[in-house]
Every structure is written in C-alpha cells, then in structure tokens.
C-alpha cells in the first residue's frame, strides 16, 4: 500500500511540474484552435445569438486552458475549474459515445473517428487527473450545472447541437436525453470527487 501511494504521489508530481503544465497548455491551445476550426461550417450557418452554444468540445478545452494558466500563475478560479471539469468530462465522454454509435450504425471507421475518440477521451482523463487540485465550491458547481442544462436546452430545443452523422439522426430525441442525463452525472461526479473531498484536497506544488 505504501509503495502504491508513493508511486501515485510520484506520478502526480510529474503531472504538476511546470514543464508538464506548459506542455499541456500548448496541447490544449492547439486542440482548442483545431476544435473551433472543426466547427467552422456549422458556426458559419449558426445565428449569432446561438454562436457560443455550438462549439461544445473546444469551449470545454478553452475552459481548461484558463485553468492551466491559473495553475501556472498561482491564481486559481473555482468557477472556471468547475466549468472545465464538468464540460471536459461531459463532452469527452459524449463524443466517444456518439462516434462509436455512428460506427455501430454502419458509418465507416476512418482515422478521423479514431483521432476524435482518442482526443476526447484525453479531455475526460484530464478532468479526472486534475480533479484533486481544483478548488470548486458548491456555488461554482451550481453555476456549471446551470450552464450545462441551459446549453442542452439550446442544443436540442433549437437544434443547435453539433452536427451528427445521418446514421444516428433518427435517434436525436434519445441523444438529447442522453446528453442531458450525462451532464447531470458529470456534475455529480465532480461533486463527489472534488467538492465533497475537501479534506483530501491536494495543493499544487510550488
């Protein structure tokens, strides 16, 4: 047990070194830029007042970019961390499920699907790995809950959700409910792994 705890502490020490944080920042900045580029055609066709509710995944990684900047500058924001944690988990899992679902429905398994699944799984993994370092309070998490519920309302009531394969569009009502419930599960996950674990909170090494 002692050896396992020591190994975990060592791995977390590597994860939170400044060089690691800078590397993750570069990766997430590039991923965010590519994500907004990926949504380019849909954003061009989106009414201006809905524009911020369309690019879900790059918005999540953008939140995490600000989290990493906060870590590097020693100025953490519980609200930004709550938004990042919930959305990274939600849209990381959501994209993997949707991409896998369309392949199961007969869409070809090409390199872009694999790339998207790997990158989005990485988003969710980042949220879990950094969960002990977030300083999220109940009010921050409540704001993240409101954001994710309102975003789902815009996406599935006004049809602003990410463009999906035609093979799974017949299931759009079920996808909407899955997305909503996934958001609630992610909020609960952040609550139990962070907000409720104040006594186990780990500070970033200086």
């Amino acid at each position: 047990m002692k050896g396992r705890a020591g190994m975990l502490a060592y791995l977390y020490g590597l994860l939170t070194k400044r060089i690691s944080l800078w590397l993750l920042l570069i990766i997430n900045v590039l991923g965010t830029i590519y994500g907004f580029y990926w949504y380019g055609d849909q954003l061009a066709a989106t009414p201006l007042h809905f524009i911020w509710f369309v690019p879900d995944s790059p918005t999540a990684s953008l939140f995490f970019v600000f989290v990493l900047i906060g870590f590097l500058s020693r100025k953490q924001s519980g609200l930004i961390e709550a938004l990042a944690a919930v959305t990274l988990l939600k849209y990381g899992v959501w994209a993997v499920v949707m991409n896998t679902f369309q392949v199961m429905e007969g869409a070809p398994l090409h390199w872009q699907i694999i790339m998207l699944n790997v990158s989005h799984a990485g988003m969710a993994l980042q949220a879990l790995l950094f969960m002990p370092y977030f300083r999220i309070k109940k009010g921050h998490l409540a704001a993240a809950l409101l954001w994710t519920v309102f975003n789902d309302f815009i996406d599935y009531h006004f049809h602003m959700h990410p463009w999906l394969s035609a093979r799974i569009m017949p299931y759009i009502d079920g996808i909407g409910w899955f997305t909503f419930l996934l958001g609630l599960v992610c909020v609960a996950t952040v609550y139990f792994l962070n907000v409720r674990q104040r006594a186990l909170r780990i500070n970033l090494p200086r």
Side-chain angles (χ1 to χ4, degrees):
M1 183 69 70
K2 199 174 210 182
R4 186 179 302 174
M7 177 61 71
L8 186 62
Y10 174 75
L11 291 175
Y12 265 100
L14 289 179
L15 179 68
T16 55
K17 285 184 178 295
R18 291 186 69 83
I19 189 170
S20 300
L21 294 175
W22 274 109
L23 180 59
L24 286 172
L25 179 60
I26 293 169
I27 291 172
N28 279 272
V29 167
L30 294 177
T32 300
I33 293 171
Y34 180 77
F36 282 112
Y37 169 78
W38 179 272
Y39 275 92
D41 291 340
Q42 184 173 354
L43 289 172
T46 300
L48 187 60
H49 54 286
F50 287 136
I51 211 82
W52 287 107
F53 302 99
V54 169
D56 296 327
S57 294
T59 299
S61 60
L62 180 62
F63 285 140
F64 192 59
V65 164
F66 288 122
V67 168
L68 291 170
I69 292 172
F71 284 167
L72 287 164
S73 62
R74 303 292 173 187
K75 295 179 180 179
Q76 291 180 242
S77 167
L79 176 59
I80 298 299
E81 290 172 355
L83 290 168
V86 170
T87 57
L88 285 174
L89 283 173
K90 178 180 178 180
Y91 296 114
V93 172
W94 183 91
V96 172
V97 171
M98 291 302 113
N99 286 323
T100 304
F101 185 24
Q102 67 173 315
V103 171
M104 292 173 62
E105 288 296 306
L109 178 61
H110 49 73
W111 70 269
Q112 286 183 320
I113 294 292
I114 297 172
M115 179 271 291
L116 288 171
N117 275 0
V118 171
S119 61
H120 282 83
M123 287 171 55
L125 181 61
Q126 285 183 129
L128 292 174
L129 287 175
F130 280 93
M131 195 72 69
Y133 297 100
F134 296 150
R135 296 177 179 176
I136 301 171
K137 297 180 180 179
K138 291 180 180 179
H140 302 143
L141 192 57
L145 172 62
L146 289 175
W147 168 263
T148 189
V149 169
F150 186 65
N151 193 73
D152 289 343
F153 174 74
I154 297 296
D155 278 358
Y156 294 94
H157 182 76
F158 294 102
H159 308 290
M160 294 294 118
H161 55 79
W163 286 348
L164 297 168
S165 168
R167 295 179 183 271
I168 61 175
M169 278 303 293
Y171 306 98
I172 191 61
D173 289 341
I175 289 171
W177 280 108
F178 167 75
T179 307
F180 170 71
L181 293 174
L182 178 61
L184 299 185
V185 169
C186 291
V187 169
T189 299
V190 175
Y191 175 76
F192 284 109
L193 294 184
N194 183 272
V195 177
R196 206 173 166 194
Q197 299 295 323
R198 293 190 183 280
L200 302 179
R201 188 72 44 81
I202 304 173
N203 291 319
L204 284 169
R206 296 188 177 276

